[in-house]
Amino acid sequence: MRLSRYFLPVLKETPSDAQIVSHRLMLRAGMIRQQAAGIYSWLPLGYRVLRNIERIVHEEQQRAGHIPVLMPTVQPADLWQESGRYNAYGPEMLRIRDRHDRDMLYGPTNEEMITDIFRTHVSSYRDLPLTLYHIQWKFRDEVRPRFGVMRGREFLMKDGYTFDVSKEAALHAYNRHLVSYLRTYERMGLQAIPMRADSGPIGGDNTHEFLVLADTGESEVFYDSEITDLRFGDRDIDYDDPAQCRAVLEEFTSRYARTDETHDPEAFARIPTERQRTARGIEVGQIFYFGTKYSEPMGAMVQTADGIQVPVHMGSHGIGVSRLAGALIEANHDDRGIVWPEEVAPFPCGIVNLRQGDGNCDSVCEAIHGQLSARGLEPLYDDTDERAGAKFASMDLIGLPWRITVGPRGLKSGTVEVTSRRTGDSEEMSPEAAVARIADIYGRG
Ligand code: P5A
């Protein structure tokens, strides 16, 4: 992508209304534009990041055997009247009336709708277990939308729903989700710690939130410091094996880690003092087992192997997809801007031409651009007439993991410079070696 033809409205000034660094950087890097309180447009650079986050979430969901669907954003109120949540949900729900005076709503979550789909099409234990998920926009009329996409009113969520014939089977689905979430966040370069939490309006008493530690997080959390040493890594887990999933859950949830809603000061005090930690965290996901809370009132029944009709056991599992864009920046930035982890970066690398219009510089940049693009690694090529300092500042701000700098001085000896955004380390090499290096980093060598 040539910057001269792209749409990257970076801001020189720091926006005064943005209180946290990720919000400031998203505005300055031209990733988002606020359209109303808590409602954002995703500009090209932000949209690329959002799509990358979505892609990882999709891949990891499907790896765990979950099936993608797409439900609408607007829902009829009757489903929510059936479950009893229409009144219970309160002013956070955006209620809409259509031209026929029918009560509708912009979905804050989809337990009711998926239960309706299930009861229409499934009636036997033979069709279970089943997990359906989608990645769809939600609306919650939050009292205090703030921090940009972190607490929006309209936001993108991955929400998955599990259906099982028994509590035991449903708990396997819960454990499997916990494992797949650990893997999902780690792939994005994030450490998200499962913590015992409160279930709020979703219901049930089996729930964990996933928290990314950050000073700007909205949740206060208490944990045993040993927990931050745990890594999921590249374990090869059989998601269909309840014992393997349970073992991972036990490993990651046996130490004390709780949000303030479930904090137990006495239990916390029993951890050796030097391991007690109080911090703030960003909730990037939450999983719930709530049994028959929706299936019972909505009549979602299945026949068991013994021929008995029982309400199906359900759970729901959410990932804050748009919030993750902010959380990733909170966890990956320095005083010059964003430092994207490679998996989610909007472009794998940038090319800076230090002397636009110089035949040699231009043709080397074009060649690198073409060769990387041909390998599926489309770079962002700054082919504008800006001075070098401004080009470097913009590249640092938008945080592409790698930069290839092409200038007349280096080309005299046949080299370009490859620089890591994270470490700042630079290395000179031939243009061909630079392409090979980037391809190698991204596994396209
Ligand atoms: C689980 C999936 C649910 O809604 N029903 C379907 C369950 N859970 S949740 O915890 O309420 O939300 C899931 C995740 O969505 C993100 N999130 C938000 N992101 C941005 N702005 C908001 N206002 C917002 N509210 C929730 C969080 O990451 C949360 O964990």
Side-chain angles (χ1 to χ4, degrees), residues 331-348:
N332 297 282
H333 68 270
D334 61 20
D335 51 9
R336 288 174 294 144
I338 305 167
V339 185
W340 289 114
E342 273 139 16
E343 280 270 10
V344 293
F347 292 93

Side-chain angles (χ1 to χ4, degrees), residues 31 48-49 52-53 55-56 184-191 212 324-334 337-349 398-402 420-422 441-442:
M31 292 178 64
R48 276 184 166 256
V49 172
N52 285 341
I53 297 171
R55 176 179 46 77
I56 293 173
T184 303
Y185 298 120
E186 267 195 32
R187 249 188 87 179
M188 296 177 194
L190 272 183
Q191 182 173 39
V212 172
L324 271 167
L328 278 158
I329 298 177
E330 288 295 325
N332 297 282
H333 68 270
D334 61 20
I338 305 167
V339 185
W340 289 114
E342 273 139 16
E343 280 270 10
V344 293
F347 292 93
C349 95
I398 67 172
L400 308 184
W402 297 91
S420 155
R421 174 67 181 87
R422 194 169 287 278
I441 289 165
Y442 286 95

Side-chain angles (χ1 to χ4, degrees), residues 109 111 140 142 149-152 155 157 159 161 202 283-286 288 316-318 320 323:
T109 176
E111 279 80 7
R140 293 183 185 173
E142 301 276 351
V149 301
M150 291 278 220
R151 182 164 295 280
F155 60 96
M157 188 200 288
D159 39 326
Y161 303 88
I202 306 293
E283 180 205 326
V284 292
Q286 189 165 5
F288 303 82
S316 73
H317 307 87
R323 176 177 289 180

Side-chain angles (χ1 to χ4, degrees), residues 253-435:
T253 62
S254 60
R255 293 175 185 78
Y256 191 94
R258 294 184 180 211
T259 62
D260 52 1
E261 296 151 338
T262 57
H263 181 49
D264 173 356
E266 276 176 35
F268 189 60
R270 287 195 289 273
I271 306 168
T273 323
E274 69 279 7
R275 287 187 359 222
Q276 292 174 14
R277 295 283 184 285
T278 306
R280 302 201 66 84
I282 303 166
E283 180 205 326
V284 292
Q286 189 165 5
I287 54 177
F288 303 82
Y289 164 68
F290 42 69
T292 59
K293 172 175 170 174
Y294 301 90
S295 55
E296 229 172 275
M298 294 184 67
M301 310 294 285
V302 281
Q303 186 164 17
T304 67
D306 304 327
I308 309 164
Q309 295 283 326
V310 295
V312 69
H313 282 259
M314 291 176 60
S316 73
H317 307 87
I319 292 182
V321 173
S322 50
R323 176 177 289 180
L324 271 167
L328 278 158
I329 298 177
E330 288 295 325
N332 297 282
H333 68 270
D334 61 20
D335 51 9
R336 288 174 294 144
I338 305 167
V339 185
W340 289 114
E342 273 139 16
E343 280 270 10
V344 293
F347 292 93
C349 95
I351 304 172
V352 169
N353 187 343
L354 292 177
R355 178 113 14 112
Q356 198 66 40
D358 172 284
N360 203 10
C361 288
D362 291 3
S363 67
V364 169
C365 287
E366 289 294 336
I368 296 173
H369 183 261
Q371 286 160 18
L372 283 173
S373 300
R375 287 176 149 96
L377 295 169
E378 190 190 18
L380 181 64
Y381 167 27
D382 190 343
D383 61 342
T384 65
D385 295 326
E386 286 282 349
R387 48 190 184 80
K391 288 189 176 186
F392 289 143
S394 293
M395 280 291 175
D396 284 350
L397 172 63
I398 67 172
L400 308 184
W402 297 91
R403 187 185 77 207
I404 300 177
T405 310
V406 179
R409 205 177 310 151
L411 286 186
K412 256 189 206 145
S413 51
T415 63
V416 299
E417 196 182 55
V418 177
T419 308
S420 155
R421 174 67 181 87
R422 194 169 287 278
T423 64
D425 293 344
S426 285
E427 214 181 305
E428 291 186 5
M429 59 189 85
S430 69
E432 298 72 36
V435 168

